Amino acid sequence: MPQLQNKLALIVGAGREPGRGIARRFAREGAQLLLIDRDAAAGDALARELDAPFFHADPSDKNALLAAITQATAGAGRLDILVNAAMEEPQWTRLEELPDSAFEQGFAQGFYSALWAMRALQPLMRANGGGRIVNLGSVYGENVAEYIGAYSAAAEALRALTRTAAQEWGADNILVNVLMPTVDDERFRAYHEQHSEHVDTTLPLVALQRFGDPVEDIGGAAVYLVSDDSRYLTGYTIHADGGYHMAGPVYVPVMEV
Amino acid sequence: MGRLDGQVAVITGASYGIGRGLAVRFAKEGARLIVCSRTAAKATEMLDEVHAITPHVHYVAADVGVREQIQNVVAEAGRIYGRLDVLINNAQTVMPWTPIEDKPDDDWDQTLQSGLYATLWAMRAALPMMKAQGRGRIVNFGSIFGINGSRWASDYAACKEGIRGLTRSAANEWGRYGITVNVVLPSAESAASKSFRENHPAAYKMMRDRVPLQHHGDPETDIGGAILGLACEEGRFITGETFFLDGGMGISRPVQALQPHMRN
């Protein structure tokens, strides 16, 4: 049974996972989609697949993003769901060598793009009796942040922004939450291939012992956060990570059962 | 067509409040139910409401704080329906407000037996069925009073945080069987919230206005919806998580820069 029939959803960063998986799942659940991404080829491909309009813009460029949002929502005059998933792959650099420009870029992608989109769309949601905003967080921001200082700081700043928006906009029935996924995407598979011994040793420490399928696992959790089911949940972080957030590198016996 | 068609759920403490709302919501979504509470006489209204929706409900009068009794409740799912998909450990005895230094050991025993131990016993009774099915969903009940600590309810706070620790441990141990285990911290309209509102209207209004969604949760829609989603396919990759089902209340702290003129 489709959970998002007649809902209109804008996905910023729909060109790759997890935004793409979320878009595919939303489409399956009956939502109408508006897609934004910096990668024109990936955006066009998804647009054709889902028969949804694509608006090409770099979300870390404020003017470009706002122009795309205006264009995307002009016809509808409403928006039910906003998903902010514009964070790109981080630079791996030691903190003492990480240039200011990396922080500027990380915050533009991971923090400001969400802020700009949220502020641009809040009036529309408010005028239509409410809405749902899902901001993609990072387990590397919440936990290990080795050599990705800019990326993780931006991801955690987004969580503070989420709480502020939840508190200020709750009276207008705009619900704002963070979805923190572990995604079984190309990047993860490439890492797994390069570091198979490491991944094969540590993945069994995660409760469900895998990273998430973008459509079934992460997309499913995203549907949960924007559907009527979670109508009383705002200001929080939900981990779609198969239990990754409670798997510590602790010394426990491996029990063969 | 319901979203829980074919599924079997056990709900403890189902006579009133959140447990009753869950029973009604799950019944409407097509689940077959085992429900329990301590006093059969108090369950009649709930059972009438559920029977109006589905014939597939079986009531057991049981004190979940007694091991054999809660084990029997869970076993009924297997005996009657041959399976168990969702276990909801909602029941909890609440003892009177008492400072830590005065709280009798017996209060601690009753609180922990009906909350922490009942949850543990029910989960262990459910495991063989869920393991054999390769899938199961367990939802336990924590509390904001546990997260924040609580004045005068140390037993309750400790019990609820104990349940959270148990939840995450079970999520870690049983994930490989396809079982997810999560804990919810609901804030719902109840006899206690109504009595607080009546006796302390100013304090109630001040607290409620700090809640982003500005109302107490409805057991069937607000709390029931969130737990329903966890039981469905949408929730399949979420485990060990703590859900604040409180309209955002949990992100608030009591002493903040109050700016009423900024609200609109």
Side-chain angles (χ1 to χ4, degrees):
Chain A
M1 189 183 320
Q3 297 290 307
L4 303 179
Q5 208 74 53
N6 302 319
K7 298 290 185 192
L8 182 61
L10 170 64
I11 300 184
V12 180
R16 87 213 82 79
E17 310 306 354
R20 183 169 59 190
I22 291 170
R24 284 175 169 150
R25 182 58 179 264
F26 280 13
R28 201 169 89 194
E29 300 289 346
Q32 288 175 269
L33 292 171
L34 306 168
L35 310 171
I36 292 179
D37 201 88
R38 65 183 299 201
D39 182 339
D44 280 329
L46 188 67
R48 276 193 303 277
E49 176 191 324
L50 301 180
D51 193 22
F54 167 64
F55 305 89
H56 181 218
D58 179 352
S60 66
D61 176 338
K62 183 177 184 178
N63 291 331
L65 176 65
L66 293 181
I69 287 174
T70 302
Q71 200 190 346
T73 54
R78 71 182 175 97
L79 185 74
D80 303 299
I81 298 160
L82 166 66
V83 175
N84 288 305
M87 192 56 134
E88 301 278 341
E89 189 166 7
Q91 293 184 31
W92 300 80
T93 311
R94 290 183 62 89
L95 190 57
E96 62 270 32
E97 291 157 9
L98 196 58
D100 285 359
S101 62
F103 278 87
E104 283 159 19
Q105 189 187 41
F107 270 78
Q109 291 170 354
F111 175 82
Y112 279 107
S113 69
L115 173 66
W116 295 327
M118 287 162 66
R119 287 208 293 216
L121 293 161
Q122 178 259 353
L124 210 52
M125 288 184 167
R126 185 181 182 187
N128 286 289
R132 299 298 181 89
I133 299 172
V134 175
N135 294 325
L136 271 294
S138 168
V139 294
Y140 304 111
E142 187 180 49
N143 304 296
V144 183
E146 224 172 0
Y147 315 130
I148 51 168
Y151 176 94
S152 54
E156 286 297 272
L158 183 59
R159 291 218 290 170
L161 174 69
T162 298
R163 289 191 293 274
T164 302
Q167 185 78 23
E168 291 191 19
W169 298 348
D172 295 323
N173 200 32
I174 298 171
L175 279 57
V176 194
N177 291 290
V178 169
L179 179 64
M180 206 170 274
T182 56
V183 193
D184 187 351
D185 58 3
E186 283 168 18
R187 267 194 280 163
F188 173 73
R189 287 192 289 273
Y191 181 84
H192 191 169
E193 210 161 285
Q194 284 164 19
H195 307 274
S196 57
E197 194 184 345
H198 171 66
V199 174
D200 291 340
T201 311
T202 52
L203 203 54
L205 294 172
V206 178
L208 297 187
Q209 308 190 334
R210 57 188 170 87
F211 273 30
D213 180 84
V215 177
E216 302 304 327
D217 292 323
I218 313 307
V223 170
Y224 177 79
L225 276 184
V226 303
S227 74
D228 197 49
D229 285 351
S230 61
R231 54 187 269 167
Y232 200 50
L233 186 73
T234 192
Y236 296 112
T237 296
I238 297 303
H239 297 84
D241 66 354
Y244 181 94
H245 67 282
M246 49 164 192
V250 288
Y251 300 102
V252 295
V254 175
M255 311 224 345
E256 300 296 338
V257 186
Chain B
M1 230 186 69
R3 291 166 65 195
L4 297 175
D5 280 349
Q7 295 204 34
V8 173
V10 168
I11 302 171
T12 70
S15 283
Y16 53 87
I18 292 170
R20 174 176 170 169
L22 289 173
V24 170
R25 183 61 184 267
F26 271 50
K28 284 181 178 171
E29 295 292 346
R32 293 171 290 169
L33 301 176
I34 304 286
V35 293
C36 77
S37 67
R38 259 187 310 192
T39 313
K42 292 183 182 169
T44 50
E45 276 185 35
M46 176 273 296
L47 285 172
D48 286 348
E49 196 179 355
V50 174
H51 274 304
I53 302 162
T54 176
H56 303 295
V57 56
H58 179 75
Y59 175 80
V60 187
D63 180 348
V64 298
V66 177
R67 188 204 305 246
E68 293 71 25
Q69 293 192 29
I70 180 62
Q71 283 174 340
N72 180 56
V73 170
V74 176
E76 287 286 69
R79 280 195 287 268
I80 294 171
Y81 304 120
R83 61 184 294 117
L84 175 57
D85 301 281
V86 187
L87 169 65
I88 298 174
N89 290 304
N90 164 64
Q92 172 74 61
T93 301
V94 179
M95 305 310 288
W97 304 97
T98 313
I100 294 171
E101 55 271 35
D102 301 328
K103 188 169 272 295
D105 284 358
D106 182 60
D107 280 22
W108 279 89
D109 289 342
Q110 288 200 54
T111 298
L112 291 172
Q113 296 271 325
S114 66
L116 178 60
Y117 279 96
T119 300
L120 170 66
W121 292 328
M123 286 166 59
R124 288 208 292 220
L127 177 63
M129 277 184 280
M130 290 182 170
K131 193 176 163 183
Q133 290 159 196
R135 182 186 183 280
R137 301 288 164 82
I138 299 173
V139 179
N140 296 329
F141 277 62
S143 170
I144 189 80
F145 291 108
I147 298 270
N148 290 348
S150 168
R151 294 180 183 201
W152 331 134
S154 52
D155 55 339
Y156 182 80
C159 175
K160 289 302 185 184
E161 284 299 273
I163 289 171
R164 278 216 310 151
L166 172 63
T167 298
R168 290 197 297 270
S169 299
N172 268 314
E173 288 193 28
W174 296 349
R176 64 194 196 280
Y177 305 136
I179 298 169
T180 70
V181 194
N182 291 288
V183 58
V184 297
L185 286 50
S187 159
E189 195 67 77
S190 68
S193 71
K194 282 176 187 155
S195 130
F196 185 79
R197 184 177 60 204
E198 279 158 21
N199 295 324
H200 310 279
Y204 178 86
K205 185 178 184 320
M206 197 174 71
M207 299 301 283
R208 195 208 55 197
D209 285 353
R210 296 301 306 162
V211 178
L213 298 187
Q214 304 198 337
H215 65 94
H216 265 103
D218 176 76
E220 190 183 326
T221 54
D222 294 328
I223 313 301
I227 293 175
L228 168 68
L230 284 179
C232 292
E233 277 308 289
E234 288 87 334
R236 60 185 249 167
F237 201 53
I238 302 174
T239 193
E241 184 65 284
T242 298
F243 285 83
F244 291 75
L245 305 180
D246 63 1
M249 180 173 70
I251 62 175
S252 238
R253 290 290 177 263
V255 185
Q256 288 176 319
L258 194 59
Q259 304 284 346
H261 64 286
M262 305 280 289
R263 312 204 83 168
N264 50 29

